[in-house]
Amino acid sequence: MEQVEFVRSEISLAERWKRVFTRPECSFDLVVGQERARDWIIPILLTSIVGIIYFYLTIDLVGAIEDDNRFDVSDEVQDSQYREWKEKSRLYGWTLIPVGHFTSLVFIAVVIMVVSKLAFQVELDFRQALIAKAHATLIVIPEWIVLTFFMLWTGSAGIILGPGIFFEDSNPQTFLGRVFFTINFFDAWQVWVLSAAISVFGNINRRRATITLGVVWIAWLFATVALEEFVTKMQIAQSAVS
């Protein structure tokens, strides 16, 4: 036991977080039993900082798309309001990144606790669930790096990081096609990291944890696409009535 504690103290936080990308089980092994607030706060803060850098490096490309998709407006008042909104987005839009991260952190932590209880009859405490999601969120850092590189290289904000790159049509017509288009390889990577966390914290077989979380993730994708289709049909129906 003393040897384990010595190894834990010798390995830096940076080294532990590096292992999340290749050997997440090792990273969580070094945390289990001595979970602290910094184990979830620092990864979220670090990811938020990278996200803010990504925001300012790519905001002009995203803004250009918004300008192209905007209908021609002859009303000077509306045009002025749009320009004001755009300027405020440039100044304060970055605040959505840390807010979104912390909101997602809490929501997914609750999901992890529920899935662990229902699927494995294991109770993870809230701090362990926060640490699991915070470590998985580190995967967003390479995702944003890749996005930034390709967006600046191509001059386009429409970068796809999933099976959608193999589709000729950027707007597939079938339900299954839209599901595949929604898949993000980096999201799958996060699921893999989360399964390692559940495996270690709950003392569950890793393969079982991975398969279970994979099924939950796929079900979430189907539900998301179905909801988007329902909302779109409702909007079309309302437009037809009006």
Side-chain angles (χ1 to χ4, degrees):
M1 183 63 181
E2 292 181 359
Q3 185 176 3
V4 173
E5 294 298 329
F6 175 75
V7 171
R8 287 177 171 177
S9 63
E10 285 295 301
I11 296 180
S12 66
L13 290 175
E15 179 63 29
R16 182 201 303 167
W17 293 331
K18 270 199 316 186
R19 296 185 181 192
V20 171
F21 299 98
T22 55
R23 294 185 296 164
E25 303 96 332
C26 297
S27 182
F28 293 116
D29 278 333
L30 296 170
V31 175
V32 64
Q34 56 175 16
E35 300 89 351
R36 288 169 286 190
R38 71 175 186 178
D39 293 321
W40 64 266
I41 292 176
I42 298 179
I44 291 297
L45 291 176
L46 179 61
T47 310
S48 295
I49 291 171
V50 176
I52 292 170
I53 295 172
Y54 159 78
F55 173 82
Y56 280 108
L57 287 175
T58 61
I59 188 173
D60 289 333
L61 292 174
V62 176
I65 288 182
E66 291 173 350
D67 291 339
D68 292 340
N69 292 337
R70 183 167 173 264
F71 294 105
D72 291 333
V73 178
S74 57
D75 189 331
E76 293 184 3
V77 175
Q78 291 184 10
D79 189 63
S80 176
Q81 290 175 344
Y82 171 75
R83 292 180 184 278
E84 183 180 353
W85 169 83
K86 187 175 178 180
E87 183 61 27
K88 287 183 178 179
S89 296
R90 178 180 290 273
L91 291 175
Y92 308 113
W94 64 269
T95 59
L96 297 177
I97 294 173
V99 170
H101 270 339
F102 278 100
T103 302
S104 174
L105 175 71
V106 174
F107 175 74
I108 298 300
V110 172
V111 171
I112 290 171
M113 293 173 66
V114 171
V115 170
S116 299
K117 179 64 176 178
L118 296 180
F120 309 115
Q121 288 74 53
V122 170
E123 292 189 4
L124 268 64
D125 63 46
F126 190 50
R127 176 169 290 183
Q128 288 177 326
L130 288 175
I131 292 172
K133 172 54 181 170
H135 279 61
T137 301
L138 289 170
I139 304 301
V140 176
I141 293 178
E143 178 180 2
W144 272 332
I145 291 173
V146 170
L147 277 173
T148 301
F149 172 78
F150 281 106
M151 286 173 70
L152 295 178
W153 183 35
T154 63
S156 170
I159 305 301
I160 301 170
L161 299 177
I165 60 177
F166 302 110
F167 284 71
E168 294 183 2
D169 186 359
S170 60
N171 185 25
Q173 301 302 311
T174 65
F175 178 81
L176 191 58
R178 281 188 283 274
V179 171
F180 276 105
F181 211 84
T182 306
I183 295 174
N184 184 321
F185 293 136
F186 287 93
D187 289 345
W189 193 354
Q190 284 200 55
V191 171
W192 180 64
V193 173
L194 287 174
S195 70
I198 292 178
S199 175
V200 172
F201 289 142
N203 193 26
I204 300 165
N205 178 270
R206 176 63 192 278
R207 178 176 295 180
R208 182 186 173 198
T210 302
I211 293 174
T212 302
L213 278 191
V215 170
V216 171
W217 178 53
I218 292 172
W220 174 265
L221 290 176
F222 274 83
T224 300
V225 173
L227 181 60
E228 288 176 352
E229 284 198 352
F230 174 75
V231 171
T232 301
K233 290 179 180 178
M234 289 295 293
Q235 291 174 340
I236 294 174
Q238 289 177 356
S239 298
V241 171
S242 60

